Amino acid sequence: MLDAAVERVKAEGLLLDYANIELEDLIRAAGVPRSTVFRIWPDRAAFVADLVRALFEADPGFDTGFDGETLQLVERALAESSDAANTPAGRQAALREVLRVAVAHNMASVEGTVAWRVYRTISAALSSGDAVPGGEDIRAQLAEIVGRYLDRMAEVYRGLNAAFGLRMRAGLTEHDLAVAVMAMIDGMSDHRRINPAMVEAPRPLVLGAEGPQEWHLAAAAVYGIYTAFTVSVDSSLD
């Protein structure tokens, strides 16, 4: 049943009211005993709760925070910047390069995943005010799943901070940074669907001694958040 539903969501997406996830229809598609299905899942809300978890856990990038190709881009940028990262200015330049190449790629990659599309659909359904099957249970489950993702991203940021000689500004944590970046990406993603050119058009920016470079708007925004949330370990400023 879950396999059949996952394939359907991959093909059709998840509708706001879960109208394409009907148990009787899935029973026919999966070719499984009806009595067994209703013994495991007494109603559609119970089934959708298990389906949501299955959709997220089937995403290979969910537990790492970044997809595999983005992680490779980060590692390559770190390796290429290792010689320059011996001074505060060099470390900032290296951080800019990592974010410049990684954020835009990861945003495009993640938006194409089933897990991200399900997350956005359920978020929209819960915020719409309409009755959603299993609403409060689904909300709790989504909060737990997103919490796991934010924990993974906080670990990524701890690693970047260590690599670039940064620490969190007093009163803030890596988890706060992960929440702020995710909220910005959520909003940027909404605008991207409405007006792709507004978000996707590269911006020629000068953000450091390396001179003008093309930046994706989301990458520039993440860099702004990152620099506002962190300070150099050599700095006494908070």
Side-chain angles (χ1 to χ4, degrees):
M1 283 286 287
L2 286 171
D3 287 346
V6 166
E7 289 306 310
R8 178 164 297 178
V9 172
K10 286 180 178 179
E12 303 176 2
L14 184 65
L15 300 184
L16 283 177
D17 58 357
Y18 315 147
N20 57 340
I21 305 298
E22 293 290 351
L23 291 183
E24 295 289 355
D25 186 28
L26 288 169
I27 286 169
R28 288 191 293 272
V32 294
R34 187 175 184 277
S35 58
T36 302
V37 169
F38 283 98
R39 187 168 65 249
I40 298 171
W41 299 290
D43 53 37
R44 185 173 59 156
F47 179 77
V48 169
D50 280 357
L51 172 61
V52 168
R53 187 173 299 278
L55 288 165
F56 275 91
E57 293 182 347
D59 179 358
F62 176 69
D63 281 336
T64 61
F66 284 146
D67 68 284
E69 288 187 7
T70 301
L71 285 173
Q72 291 177 2
L73 286 174
V74 170
E75 291 169 359
R76 188 179 310 134
L78 284 170
E80 292 172 353
S81 303
S82 59
D83 292 339
N86 295 321
T87 65
R91 288 193 288 271
Q92 276 295 312
L95 174 65
R96 283 192 291 273
E97 183 60 13
V98 166
L99 296 180
R100 190 179 73 85
V101 301
V103 171
H105 184 277
N106 193 63
M107 185 175 178
S109 298
V110 167
E111 283 193 353
T113 66
V114 173
W116 176 261
R117 287 186 281 130
V118 167
Y119 160 70
R120 298 299 292 156
T121 298
I122 294 176
S123 297
L126 291 173
S127 63
S128 69
D130 296 333
V132 176
E136 288 308 310
D137 289 340
I138 292 294
R139 186 189 302 275
Q141 186 181 59
L142 189 63
E144 183 261 321
I145 290 171
V146 170
R148 281 173 51 199
Y149 175 80
L150 291 170
D151 288 343
R152 301 300 189 278
M153 288 308 302
E155 285 298 320
V156 171
Y157 295 141
R158 286 188 190 97
L160 290 179
N161 285 350
F164 297 120
L166 299 171
R167 60 182 174 84
M168 298 306 300
R169 197 176 292 274
L172 294 170
T173 67
E174 287 86 354
H175 194 272
D176 295 327
L177 176 58
V179 171
V181 170
M182 185 175 187
M184 185 280 297
I185 293 294
D186 278 2
M188 194 78 72
S189 177
D190 287 340
H191 284 289
R192 185 172 179 266
R193 285 193 293 274
I194 297 167
N195 187 345
M198 178 179 66
V199 173
E200 292 294 337
R203 272 69 170 181
L205 299 177
V206 178
L207 297 180
E210 58 270 27
Q213 294 178 301
E214 288 194 347
W215 282 75
H216 187 285
L217 193 59
V222 170
Y223 177 65
I225 294 170
Y226 213 113
T227 54
F229 276 52
T230 60
V231 294
S232 170
V233 295
D234 302 321
S235 172
S236 60
L237 297 177
D238 287 325

